[in-house]
């Protein structure tokens, strides 16, 4: 092993504490034959799951590598989570915007997750719990990526088999694991470990497919029963039924909660415990049980309190439960973390298989506290191909050294079947903190949080998905925190938790369950551990417990870290904030003037801001060009050829989320700065102070106070370092001193109240030339993303639909009044050309809409559409030049629509599939095989032209700016922001006109080019909608008022004339016919020529092609 790869010894005993140089050296020494390096992970989750994963792995990374950032995290952020100021967004290394709304648009969208993983070059994806964590399509698709991306969890086949409640029960009962009576008790089947499947007929036999079947199965099993959706979870898709009269209605409710999920029915085991075994398995056939948990305190089958170890089970019974869980995992070739859940009857000392969750569970820290195994870190290590017996915490759990000097001789192998675990480390109780109103039936609530006060102690710790400045949005999980209390036994852990809940305070728009649970764990039944899965529901049914409100006033500070940012990056962050605030302030002034009936100046809407910041004695003169609502190009003022793009968004607590070159930072402006003191920022928890411009000729105070005494008279000469005045600040008197020698002239009188930055006096310097000023920065900024302003597009890692969306959005930003230079227009058109000529453009645009419909439309239709896309991709990869059959997408949807008889269902299906049909429609109207996206782009171009016309109609034809604004104000009395938007667009008329001219030229070129041509002359070549451009061209042709309008007007008139002419081919053919008729025509030669002249046949654009063709 090279010296640089040797692990670093961090303690006298290397078998206990060792530090490794990096991830590669760790995997090289401890990994097996399947070892792989993972240094960048996509967190495909949000909320507490993302927070817990990042914190756990960073803690492990520091212990192993001495660097908590050895593993970098890419996190997904919806607009709702951004507005909620979610904690995990601040923790991520790279923040990626994803669509908002329900999770099928973001965290549960497999297609989106895989695409983000590929684009950001991650080696692995962690999905945690919920969302896409139990979708076999995720590990399957990641494994097929090029290069393959590791899913931190089980492979797709065992996930599919065991993650399905019906499939896992069939596998369990055929593996000899005790199962409670259910409708599939007599199903016999063999699990295929290679394909990860059960025989289809066996699975179908175990499903209940109608309400009538449900009634029959329930009667056979005997009441009470549970009707469950195989794909349900978290309290959804499950109903308890205690009489035959309610079976069919409950069945329909379960079907409605989890549409499309298979349904099964099982016997309800009354007075039973819900116990679960924590599994961990590696890629070499090893599987172990990491003790387990008791999750019996539930409300409608949603866990409220979890604890471990499960002391209710006898030692022998618990041992059998662990062995059965391990055997089940090995039988299906399971890898990574999982949980086997049982129902346990204390009276009979028997257990019954309930289900296997093929993922980590939210309550896993209970196991971590009693075993001291960091589960997210263990998951990562298993994904790296490290055997269980080489994971230090697992070795310690089985009484071995954390590390061995030599792992190559097999001495480090542990036989887990015969080696005993060490005893649990005390007891742990966990409480979920949810935004629910316990007094209103646990109704979920949403809103802002003004205070979150929780102080960790040695015995109680917790984590939350936001802090005092956050909020719970309508798409968030109601759980936003988790508390864990430990003790030497259950009673000590319970007391520690009770005290922590009493001291905790959350204040805001939401309701929480804190006070309710605080009372709950004080009840005698809980204290004596006399509970079961129906205990809490019985309490609620009998009237519940009275909750008393309580509150505290203290708040908890937020802990963040600075990620080694250099001065250049800090300046870019500061400049972006200054420019953004200036633009926002000027726009507010613009709106205020409008509302007061005054005429605001267009200069208030300027898009270029010059910012000067001084940091560590260096003055940065920065030019900030606004290119979008929240985007700026940051350049050094004396060199406009290079820049970096920065985006900025306001957080709900007044912070700024700034992305620079793909790296996100959170900044807070603690002081705007003034003439006496510079701007102060808090960036990732560190305070950054910019210096004011050094001007010793202006004597100012940097604090607020009162001028008590002038120490020298007006016109006196003062020496450098001498005091010239005294001010009173917070009942203290402070002297003010001059920094250079000169003659003083007072600007304020004694007794004057002074604000920070106020001018007290002027100083005429003796030697102004000797004053040391800050060095002006020259050169390139060393920041991520720095490069040429109009650099060639880098589309190697981008799909055509992404390129097209970005390009169209860039044009629309330019048309909205943000800066779009001619060079940028050329780059955008180049991107559009690349995208629309890519035969895979329709595939990705249609697939993007199709991915949202997974599980929401008929499965067979989804598979047909998916196969259509997959087949085309394979054919394209094989060299096929065919076009994607977009019309078949519309046809298949139309056929399915015809099969739906119920009118309300048809309306629902139509609403679901309309976005997909709209995505496919333009690709049925593009006639050129070379430009499949022509119609798609033309639609966007027409939107841009119509919007531009609607703006400039207010200003053209010689209407003055003042009259235009007055007319706009009258029309938009209720919303003057529309006036601002129109004026902002008009303010950059020359730029928007350049975009319009570019679009007109593209339309003109397409209109006079034969679609059979082998040359792409226009991005809208072959679009069916070219005829629809005439109204827009006609409107623009009628505009007058200045040179810009005149140029566009003339160009549109020329295009309209060209469109009215016969095609180039027709005119060339007629002229050639006339020329050939002259041969031997004698006296009749003049007639065809005269006819040509009389018909006014244009020939200027075909003269050279004619000559060229005849020469050849």
């Amino acid at each position: 092993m090279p010296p640089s790869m040797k692990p670093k010894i961090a303690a006298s005993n290397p078998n206990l504490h060792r530090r490794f140089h990096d991830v590669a050296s760790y995997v090289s020494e401890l990994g097996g034959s399947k070892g792989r390096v993972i240094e960048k992970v996509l967190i495909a989750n949000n909320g507490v799951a993302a927070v817990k994963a990042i914190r756990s792995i960073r803690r492990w990374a520091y212990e192993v590598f001495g660097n908590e950032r050895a593993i970098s995290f890419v996190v997904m952020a919806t607009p709702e989570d951004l507005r909620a100021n979610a904690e995990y967004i601040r923790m991520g290394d790279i923040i990626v915007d994803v669509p908002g709304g329900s999770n099928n648009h973001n965290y549960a969208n497999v297609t989106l997750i895989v695409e983000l993983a590929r684009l950001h070059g991650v080696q692995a994806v962690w999905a945690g719990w919920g969302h896409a964590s139990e979708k076999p399509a995720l590990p399957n698709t990641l494994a097929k990526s090029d290069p393959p991306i590791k899913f931190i969890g089980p492979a797709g086949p065992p996930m599919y088999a065991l993650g399905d409640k019906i499939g896992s029960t069939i596998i369990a009962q055929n593996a000899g694991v005790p199962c409670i009576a259910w409708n599939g008790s007599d199903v016999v089947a063999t699990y295929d470990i290679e394909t990860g499947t059960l025989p289809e007929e066996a699975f179908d036999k175990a499903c209940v497919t109608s309400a009538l079947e449900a009634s029959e199965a329930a009667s056979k099993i005997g009441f009470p029963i549970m009707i469950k959706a195989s794909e349900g979870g978290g309290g959804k898709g499950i109903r308890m039924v205690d009489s035959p009269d309610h079976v069919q209605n409950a069945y329909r409710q379960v079907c409605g909660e989890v549409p499309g999920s298979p349904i099964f029915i099982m016997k309800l085991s009354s007075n039973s415990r819900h116990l679960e075994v924590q599994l961990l398995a590696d890629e070499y056939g090893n599987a172990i049980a990491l003790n387990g948990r008791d999750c019996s305190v539930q409300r409608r089958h949603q866990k409220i309190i979890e604890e471990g170890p499960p002391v209710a089970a006898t030692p022998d019974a618990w041992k059998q439960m662990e062995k059965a869980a391990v055997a089940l995992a090995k039988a299906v070739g399971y890898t990574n973390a999982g949980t086997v859940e049982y129902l346990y009857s204390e009276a009979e000392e028997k257990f019954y298989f309930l289900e296997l969750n093929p993922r980590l569970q939210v309550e896993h820290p209970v196991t971590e506290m009693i075993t001291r195994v960091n589960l997210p870190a263990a998951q990562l290590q298993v994904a790296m191909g490290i055997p269980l017996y080489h994971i230090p915490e697992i070795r310690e759990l089985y009484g071995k050294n954390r590390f061995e000097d030599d792992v190559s001789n097999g001495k480090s192998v542990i036989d887990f079947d015969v080696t005993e675990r060490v005893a649990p480390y005390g007891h742990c109780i966990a409480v979920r903190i949810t935004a629910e109103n316990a007094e209103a039936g646990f109704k979920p609530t949403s809103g802002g949080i003004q205070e979150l006060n929780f102080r960790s102690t040695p015995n109680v710790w917790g984590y939350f998905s936001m802090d005092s400045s956050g909020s719970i949005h309508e798409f968030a999980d109601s759980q936003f925190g988790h508390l864990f209390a430990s003790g030497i036994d259950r009673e000590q852990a319970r007391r520690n938790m009770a005290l922590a809940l009493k001291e905790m305070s959350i204040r805001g728009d939401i309701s929480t369950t804190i006070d309710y649970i605080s009372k709950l764990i004080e009840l005698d039944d809980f204290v004596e551990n006399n509970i079961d899965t129906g205990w809490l529901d019985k309490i609620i049914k009998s009237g519940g417990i009275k909750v008393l409100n309580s509150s505290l006033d203290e708040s908890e500070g937020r802990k963040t870290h600075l990620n080694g940012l250099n001065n250049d990056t800090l300046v870019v962050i500061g400049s972006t904030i200054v420019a953004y605030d200036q633009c926002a302030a000027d726009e507010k002034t613009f709106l205020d003037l409008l509302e007061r009936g005054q005429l605001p100046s267009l200069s208030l809407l300027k898009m270029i801001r010059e910012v000067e910041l001084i940091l560590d004695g260096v003055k940065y003169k920065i030019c900030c060009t606004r290119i979008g609502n929240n985007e700026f190009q940051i350049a050094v003022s004396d060199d406009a050829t290079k820049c970096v793009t920065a985006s900025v968004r306001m957080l709900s607590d007044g912070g700024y989320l700034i992305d620079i070159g793909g790296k996100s930072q959170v900044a807070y402006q603690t002081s705007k700065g003034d003439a006496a003191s510079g701007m102060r920022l808090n960036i990732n928890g560190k305070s950054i102070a910019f210096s004011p411009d050094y001007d010793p000729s202006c004597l100012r105070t940097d604090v607020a106070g009162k001028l008590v005494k002038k120490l020298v008279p007006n016109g006196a000469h003062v020496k450098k370092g001498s005091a010239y005045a005294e001010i009173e600040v917070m009942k203290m008197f402070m002297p003010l001193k001059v920094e250079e020698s000169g003659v003083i002239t007072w600007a304020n009188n004694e007794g004057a109240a002074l604000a920070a930055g106020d001018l007290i006096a002027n100083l005429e310097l003796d030697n102004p030339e000797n004053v040391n000023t800050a060095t002006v920065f020259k050169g390139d900024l060393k920041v991520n993303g720095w490069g040429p302003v109009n650099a060639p597009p880098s589309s190697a890692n981008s799909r055509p639909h992404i390129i097209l969306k970005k390009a169209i959005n860039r044009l629309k930003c330019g048309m909205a009044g943000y800066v779009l230079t001619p060079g940028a227009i050329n780059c955008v058109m180049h991107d559009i050309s690349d995208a629309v000529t890519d035969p895979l453009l329709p595939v990705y645009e249609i697939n993007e809409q199709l991915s949202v419909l997974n599980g929401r439309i008929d499965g067979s239709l989804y598979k047909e559409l998916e196969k259509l896309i997959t087949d085309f991709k394979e054919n394209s990869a094989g060299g096929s030049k065919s076009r994607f059959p977009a019309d078949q997408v519309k046809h298949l949807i139309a056929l399915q629509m015809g099969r739906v008889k119920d009118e309300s269902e048809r309306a629902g299906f139509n609403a679901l599939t309309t976005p997909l049909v709209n995505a496919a429609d333009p690709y049925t109207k593009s006639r050129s095989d070379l430009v499949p996206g022509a119609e798609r782009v033309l639609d966007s171009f027409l939107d841009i032209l119509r919007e531009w016309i609607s703006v400039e109609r207010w200003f053209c034809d010689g209407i003055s700016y003042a009259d235009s604004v007055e007319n706009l104000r009258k029309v938009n009395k209720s919303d003057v922001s529309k006036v601002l938007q129109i004026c902002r667009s008009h303010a950059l008329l020359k730029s928007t006109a350049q975009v319009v001219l570019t679009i007109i030229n593209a339309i003109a070129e397409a209109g006079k080019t034969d679609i059979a041509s082998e040359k792409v002359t226009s991005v809208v070549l072959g679009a069916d909608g070219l005829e629809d451009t005439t109204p827009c061209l006609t409107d623009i042709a009628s505009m007058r008022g200045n040179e810009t309008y005149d140029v566009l007007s003339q160009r549109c008139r020329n295009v309209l004339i060209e469109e009215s002419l016969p095609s180039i081919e027709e005119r060339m053919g007629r002229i050639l016919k006339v020329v050939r008729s002259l041969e031997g025509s004698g006296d009749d030669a003049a007639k065809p020529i005269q006819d040509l002249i009389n018909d006014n046949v244009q020939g200027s654009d075909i003269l050279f092609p004619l000559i060229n063709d005849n020469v050849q």
Side-chain angles (χ1 to χ4, degrees):
M1 184 184 297
S4 63
M5 298 295 286
K6 287 183 178 179
K8 297 179 286 186
I9 298 175
S12 58
N13 186 352
N15 292 329
L16 289 177
H17 303 287
R18 294 172 71 179
R19 285 277 173 84
F20 289 77
H21 181 72
D22 54 19
V23 178
S25 62
Y26 186 80
V27 173
S28 175
E29 179 168 339
L30 300 182
S33 58
K34 300 178 181 179
R36 64 184 65 83
V37 174
I38 297 175
E39 294 176 313
K40 192 174 185 181
V41 177
L42 170 66
I43 302 294
N45 212 311
N46 64 340
V48 291
V51 170
K52 178 58 170 64
I54 296 173
R55 283 187 177 173
S56 293
I57 293 175
R58 281 187 177 157
R59 185 173 67 247
W60 168 79
Y62 177 77
E63 292 171 356
V64 175
F65 309 111
N67 175 17
E68 71 276 15
R69 302 274 175 171
I71 309 295
S72 65
F73 294 98
V74 179
V75 300
M76 304 162 63
T78 64
E80 293 86 3
D81 280 326
L82 284 165
R83 287 195 296 271
N85 196 24
E87 176 79 8
Y88 79 95
I89 294 176
R90 293 195 294 273
M91 297 173 68
D93 296 295
I94 298 173
I95 288 85
V96 183
D97 289 340
V98 295
S102 55
N103 68 355
N104 57 292
H105 293 279
N106 37 70
Y107 306 110
N109 190 317
V110 171
T111 303
L112 175 65
I113 293 169
V114 174
E115 184 68 8
L116 292 178
R118 189 191 66 81
L119 285 173
H120 290 274
V122 303
Q123 289 109 16
V125 172
W126 187 90
W129 52 86
H131 298 314
S133 63
E134 294 185 67
K135 290 190 174 185
L138 182 55
N140 288 339
T141 311
L142 288 170
K144 294 176 183 176
S145 298
D146 185 17
I149 299 170
K150 185 66 178 175
F151 177 71
I152 302 178
M159 178 190 284
Y160 178 80
L162 291 177
D164 182 271
K165 294 177 176 63
I166 295 174
S168 62
T169 307
I170 294 173
I171 294 169
Q173 71 184 16
N174 282 275
V177 180
C179 296
I180 201 165
W182 69 300
N183 64 283
S185 294
D186 58 346
V187 175
V188 178
T190 302
Y191 173 76
D192 188 338
I193 198 169
E194 295 296 326
T195 62
T197 58
L198 288 166
E200 190 171 337
E201 58 275 12
F203 187 89
D204 291 342
K205 187 178 179 182
C207 295
V208 178
T209 59
S210 69
L212 182 60
E213 280 186 32
S215 293
E216 294 172 353
S219 299
K220 183 178 179 181
I221 295 168
F223 294 91
I225 60 162
M226 300 295 297
I227 303 178
K228 303 177 73 172
S230 183
E231 297 173 5
K236 287 200 308 181
I238 184 169
R239 287 291 186 280
M240 187 277 286
V241 183
D242 56 7
S243 72
D245 297 336
H246 302 142
V247 172
Q248 295 194 19
N249 186 48
Y251 175 85
R252 283 187 282 268
Q253 289 175 343
V254 170
C255 291
E257 287 184 1
V258 191
S261 171
I263 308 296
F264 69 107
I265 298 176
M266 60 179 286
K267 178 75 173 179
L268 173 63
S269 178
S270 302
N271 304 318
S272 294
R273 294 267 186 167
H274 179 121
L275 306 184
E276 54 190 35
V277 175
Q278 177 66 62
L279 287 174
L280 189 65
D282 64 19
E283 299 181 353
Y284 307 93
N286 301 301
I288 59 173
L290 297 177
N291 215 300
R293 302 175 289 266
D294 186 338
C295 305
S296 300
V297 181
Q298 302 178 3
R299 183 192 66 83
R300 289 186 58 200
H301 315 289
Q302 173 68 50
K303 299 169 186 174
I304 302 294
I305 300 174
E306 307 97 356
E307 58 181 291
V311 295
T314 64
D316 287 341
W318 181 248
K319 202 164 192 176
Q320 291 304 313
M321 294 164 79
E322 289 186 327
K323 284 184 177 180
V326 170
L328 181 60
K330 288 183 175 181
V332 297
Y334 191 88
T335 58
N336 221 282
T339 305
V340 175
E341 298 185 352
Y342 297 100
L343 289 174
Y344 177 74
S345 171
E346 287 187 83
E348 300 173 344
E349 296 185 2
K350 290 182 179 181
F351 63 93
Y352 305 97
F353 177 82
L354 189 59
E355 64 181 292
L356 187 149
N357 287 307
R359 54 172 171 81
L360 200 61
Q361 290 190 276
V362 66
E363 64 268 22
H364 72 271
V366 171
T367 297
E368 290 182 321
M369 295 188 77
I370 63 175
T371 63
R372 297 184 181 172
V373 174
N374 182 332
L375 279 171
Q379 282 189 292
L380 178 63
Q381 292 172 83
V382 168
M384 288 179 176
I386 295 177
L388 291 180
Y389 50 78
H390 280 169
I391 296 177
E393 290 174 339
I394 300 297
R395 294 185 58 79
E396 195 172 40
L397 181 65
Y398 280 84
K400 307 295 182 182
N401 288 331
R402 289 173 63 87
F403 300 93
E404 293 292 347
D405 294 332
D406 187 2
V407 299
S408 61
N409 55 13
K411 291 182 181 179
S412 59
V413 175
I414 300 174
D415 186 347
F416 295 109
D417 292 333
V418 298
T419 307
E420 290 290 329
R421 292 193 313 260
V422 299
Y425 295 94
H427 197 91
C428 176
I429 294 178
V431 168
R432 301 187 184 199
I433 308 300
T434 60
E436 297 174 327
N437 187 343
E439 302 235 85
F442 290 82
K443 180 181 178 181
T445 61
S446 62
I449 295 175
Q450 283 78 54
E451 179 192 59
L452 194 161
N453 175 29
F454 168 73
R455 292 184 294 273
S456 293
T457 68
N459 296 315
V460 183
W461 71 279
Y463 61 97
F464 300 86
S465 60
M466 78 283 295
D467 61 11
S468 297
S469 59
S471 63
I472 308 293
H473 61 78
E474 64 270 29
F475 299 111
D477 188 273
S478 64
Q479 181 182 354
F480 64 94
H482 218 158
L483 297 190
F484 303 88
S486 61
I488 57 173
D489 55 25
R490 184 177 185 272
E491 177 57 13
Q492 187 61 55
R494 187 198 66 79
R495 291 184 181 186
N496 290 336
M497 176 60 78
L499 185 60
L501 290 172
K502 291 177 185 296
E503 293 181 343
M504 186 176 181
S505 172
I506 297 178
R507 177 172 54 84
D509 302 324
I510 63 170
S511 298
T512 73
T513 53
I514 293 173
D515 295 324
Y516 187 92
I517 296 176
S518 177
K519 295 292 183 182
L520 192 68
I521 64 175
E522 297 279 13
L523 297 180
D524 290 343
D525 282 342
F526 188 88
V527 173
E528 296 166 8
N529 201 16
N530 184 25
I531 54 178
D532 55 49
T533 55
W535 175 68
L536 181 54
D537 284 331
K538 290 176 185 175
I539 291 175
I540 295 172
K541 191 174 182 179
S542 64
I545 54 179
K546 187 172 180 61
V547 179
L548 299 176
N549 294 324
S550 63
S551 65
L552 296 174
D553 295 329
E554 299 179 52
S555 61
E556 181 187 6
R558 184 169 45 255
K559 296 180 180 179
T560 53
H561 302 275
L562 185 66
N563 299 327
L565 303 179
N566 61 26
N567 279 6
D568 291 1
T569 304
L570 296 175
V571 167
V572 170
I573 292 172
S575 301
T576 304
I577 290 173
V578 171
Y580 179 82
D581 284 351
Q582 286 179 357
C583 290
D586 283 352
E587 287 187 353
K588 184 179 184 303
T589 300
F590 193 99
L591 291 172
D592 290 344
L593 291 171
L594 282 175
E595 289 176 346
R596 291 201 297 265
Q598 296 175 296
L599 179 65
S601 170
L602 276 179
S603 63
L604 290 170
L605 304 179
K606 64 182 180 180
M607 295 293 124
I608 298 177
R609 305 283 172 158
E610 296 290 338
V611 178
E612 290 188 3
L613 293 174
I614 299 174
L615 186 61
D616 292 344
V618 178
K619 177 183 285 189
Y620 291 82
K621 295 184 177 182
I622 302 297
C623 178
C624 303
T625 304
R626 195 177 184 189
I627 61 172
N629 187 41
N630 299 307
E631 275 193 306
F632 291 84
Q633 281 185 342
I634 310 297
V636 178
S637 291
D638 61 356
D639 181 9
T641 62
K642 293 182 180 179
C643 72
V644 63
T645 300
S647 67
V648 56
R649 279 164 296 185
M650 293 300 299
L651 300 176
S652 62
D653 62 351
Y656 303 81
L657 178 63
I658 299 176
D659 184 282
I660 302 169
K663 292 282 187 178
S664 299
Q665 313 293 340
V666 177
Y668 295 85
Q669 190 179 60
T670 55
S671 172
K672 290 183 178 294
D674 48 44
S677 61
M679 177 176 65
R680 288 181 176 270
L681 299 178
N682 183 290
I683 302 175
N684 296 340
K686 294 285 186 176
S687 181
I688 307 298
F690 295 94
S691 305
D693 205 352
Y694 180 60
D695 183 2
S697 66
C698 294
L699 304 180
R700 302 176 185 274
T701 172
D702 58 355
V703 292
K706 184 172 73 171
L707 179 58
V708 177
K709 187 176 183 181
K710 298 177 181 179
L711 299 180
V712 294
N714 195 55
H717 185 273
V718 289
K719 292 184 179 180
K720 181 177 180 179
S722 63
Y724 67 93
E726 283 184 353
I727 62 171
E728 181 185 357
V729 180
M730 298 178 68
K731 298 183 180 180
M732 294 179 62
F733 288 83
M734 298 173 54
L736 297 179
K737 299 179 181 181
V738 294
E739 297 180 347
E740 301 290 339
S741 299
V743 176
I744 193 169
T745 302
W746 290 99
N748 244 314
N749 297 317
E750 290 181 351
L754 302 173
D758 279 357
L759 181 67
I760 299 175
N762 291 301
L763 190 67
E764 185 180 344
L765 302 178
D766 290 348
N767 300 295
E769 68 279 0
N770 294 336
V771 174
N772 292 324
T773 57
T775 303
V776 177
F777 177 85
K778 302 285 185 182
D780 294 338
L781 295 173
K782 293 181 180 179
V783 295
N784 289 326
W786 181 260
V789 171
N790 293 318
S794 176
S795 56
N797 293 322
S798 294
R799 303 297 195 194
H801 67 303
I802 297 175
I803 297 173
L804 182 60
K805 281 182 181 177
K806 288 182 177 179
I808 295 297
N809 182 64
R810 188 78 175 84
L811 283 182
K812 289 182 176 179
C813 284
M815 300 304 288
Y818 304 109
V819 174
L820 189 64
T821 64
I825 295 173
N826 290 337
C827 286
V828 169
M829 294 305 294
H830 183 279
D831 280 356
I832 291 175
S833 179
D834 284 347
V836 298
T837 55
D838 192 321
L840 289 176
L841 174 63
V843 173
Y844 288 114
E845 288 225 313
I846 292 171
N847 193 43
E848 186 175 49
Q849 296 299 327
L850 180 62
S851 67
V852 177
L853 300 179
N854 190 3
R856 305 177 74 193
I857 60 174
D858 181 77
S860 59
L861 172 61
Y862 185 88
K863 288 180 180 178
E864 281 189 87
L865 293 170
E866 192 175 45
K867 185 176 185 302
L868 198 65
I869 290 171
T870 303
D871 289 348
F872 185 81
K873 284 184 178 180
E874 291 175 354
N875 292 336
S876 295
S880 172
K881 301 296 183 183
S882 61
R883 288 179 59 183
F884 180 74
D887 53 337
Q888 289 189 37
V889 174
K890 296 176 66 177
H891 177 68
L892 289 172
I893 293 174
L895 286 177
Q896 183 65 26
M897 180 81 78
R899 298 189 190 105
V900 179
K901 303 303 181 185
D902 183 80
E903 190 170 333
S904 61
E905 290 183 11
R906 191 183 304 112
F909 179 79
N910 182 63
L912 277 175
T913 56
T914 294
L916 178 59
V917 173
N918 291 341
D921 189 59
Y923 299 102
T924 66
K925 298 177 181 179
S926 297
R927 294 175 289 123
S928 172
D929 291 342
L930 298 177
V931 194
E935 186 72 20
R936 164 74 171 82
V937 173
L938 183 62
D939 287 345
S940 298
F941 281 179
L942 284 174
D943 288 342
I944 289 173
L945 290 181
R946 291 172 185 137
E947 182 64 25
W948 185 82
I949 292 168
S950 71
V951 168
E952 296 306 328
R953 271 299 176 200
W954 294 98
F955 301 93
C956 67
D957 300 331
I959 303 174
S960 69
Y961 171 68
D963 290 341
S964 299
V965 171
E966 185 58 32
N967 293 335
L968 282 165
R969 188 177 5 229
K970 290 176 181 177
V971 175
N972 299 280
K973 289 180 180 178
S974 60
D975 187 7
V976 292
S977 64
K978 291 182 180 178
V979 181
L980 184 149
Q981 292 166 10
I982 292 172
C983 290
R984 181 171 56 204
S985 175
H986 173 69
L988 290 185
L989 174 60
K990 290 186 177 180
S991 175
T992 60
Q994 187 63 43
V995 174
V996 171
L997 184 60
T998 302
I999 293 174
I1000 293 170
N1001 289 338
I1003 293 170
E1005 198 61 43
K1008 61 184 182 182
T1009 304
D1010 188 354
I1011 61 171
S1013 170
E1014 293 298 319
K1015 184 179 180 182
V1016 178
T1017 59
S1018 170
V1019 293
V1020 293
L1021 178 65
D1024 267 359
L1026 283 171
E1027 294 181 358
D1028 298 334
T1029 63
T1030 301
C1032 288
L1033 297 178
T1034 303
D1035 283 346
I1036 298 172
S1038 66
M1039 287 184 175
R1040 300 288 188 278
N1042 61 37
E1043 185 180 350
T1044 302
Y1045 294 131
D1046 292 344
V1047 169
L1048 293 177
S1049 175
Q1050 183 60 49
R1051 181 62 180 128
C1052 284
R1053 289 197 297 273
N1054 291 342
V1055 173
L1056 290 169
I1057 291 171
E1058 289 172 3
E1059 287 182 353
S1060 66
L1061 295 174
S1063 68
I1064 290 176
E1065 290 78 9
E1066 290 175 337
R1067 287 183 283 135
M1068 284 179 65
R1070 183 172 176 185
I1071 291 176
L1072 285 173
K1073 183 178 179 181
V1074 169
V1075 171
R1076 288 169 184 154
S1077 69
L1078 296 178
E1079 298 176 3
S1081 60
D1083 296 337
D1084 297 330
K1087 187 175 184 305
I1089 295 174
Q1090 188 60 47
D1091 290 342
L1092 208 61
I1093 295 171
N1094 292 340
D1095 290 344
N1096 196 24
V1097 176
Q1098 295 286 331
S1100 59
D1101 56 341
I1102 61 175
L1103 179 59
F1104 287 107
L1106 273 172
I1107 295 173
N1108 187 54
D1109 289 348
N1110 282 282
V1111 169
Q1112 292 177 351

